[in-house]
Amino acid sequence: MSPLKKYLLLPSIIRLSSRVPRNRNTAWEGYWGRIQRTGADGDVLWDAGTDHEFASFLPALQRTLNPVLPVVDVGCGHGSFTRLLASHFPQAIGVDVAPGAVARAREQTTDLPNVDFRALDCTAAGAGDLLSAELGDCNVFVRGVLHILDPAARSALAANLLPLVGQQGRVFLVETNFRGNALDYIARLGASPRRIPRPLKLAIAGLPKPGHFGPAERLAAFDDCDWTVLEDGSVTIDAVAMRTKGQPEQIPGYYAALAPRA
Ligand SMILES: C[S@@+](CC[C@H](N)C(=O)[O-])C[C@H]1O[C@@H](n2cnc3c(N)ncnc32)[C@H](O)[C@@H]1O
């Protein structure tokens, strides 16, 4: 698309985004209620329906997380990554603020006895203590959650992870880190003035505007006094195919593995 043509998207974007509920948690529950299908041909923007992305960061995840502890998948959505994590840890628990996401995650997880799900706002005061009282020290996996929170909520989430990881757990986060503006992002994901793909339309009309999350945002949320970075770097995030069937969209991303300071 030519640099100027993307501005023709503006009226549709403004109209769609005017429907987004102000309360973020309400927005997430509404979004999950409108999802009809998940996976490669589904409605969920960040679900490419393959394990390709997971395989790309699995070596880093195995190098840095503690293999004998459970893993908590914070903001698990419909649980696709919780299910992938379950092969590598004794227990995998997906936690999401939207009860509708948790219900869908349970529905799609029928044959994995070491997987369970909880509905919980992971930015709420005491959420980390609550999970830690039940599970003890845990690893924490976060994909695609921090970039949709505002800075205060990011810090609240990071503060909740401290009691949850305890002494022995670690955090592995994977986030989108697209540096252009919102119109560039939407155009890159296949929107044109004539057509906005359904997964993108559902996200624009239902969810708070996403930000990006890279090293600077990680440092702002995960204070150096509390956390040490074991490793970090670039990763490619796979999203559902929206331009060419069978070809997941690829979004620049950032990963980091963190340990609590002793
Ligand atoms: C972009 S989706 C990513 C889902 C999943 N991690 C994945 O990669 O498939 C973000 C998820 O975070 C959840 N979420 C948003 N705010 C949350 C919060 N405060 N506590 C827990 N989950 C939250 C949303 O309901 C949504 O399922």
Side-chain angles (χ1 to χ4, degrees), residues 145-166:
V145 180
L146 291 154
H147 80 287
I148 48 100
L149 297 176
D150 63 31
R154 288 174 184 171
S155 299
L157 176 55
N160 277 335
L161 299 190
L162 271 177
L164 184 53
V165 297

Side-chain angles (χ1 to χ4, degrees), residues 5-19:
K5 210 170 159 195
K6 70 182 179 210
Y7 291 102
L8 298 175
L9 279 164
L10 265 178
S12 312
I13 305 301
I14 291 169
R15 184 173 45 79
L16 287 170
S17 56
S18 69
R19 302 179 194 160

Side-chain angles (χ1 to χ4, degrees), residues 14-35:
I14 291 169
R15 184 173 45 79
L16 287 170
S17 56
S18 69
R19 302 179 194 160
V20 177
R22 276 171 187 262
N23 180 294
R24 284 171 184 254
N25 296 355
T26 309
W28 279 107
E29 180 62 2
Y31 171 83
W32 282 110
R34 284 186 286 277
I35 295 301

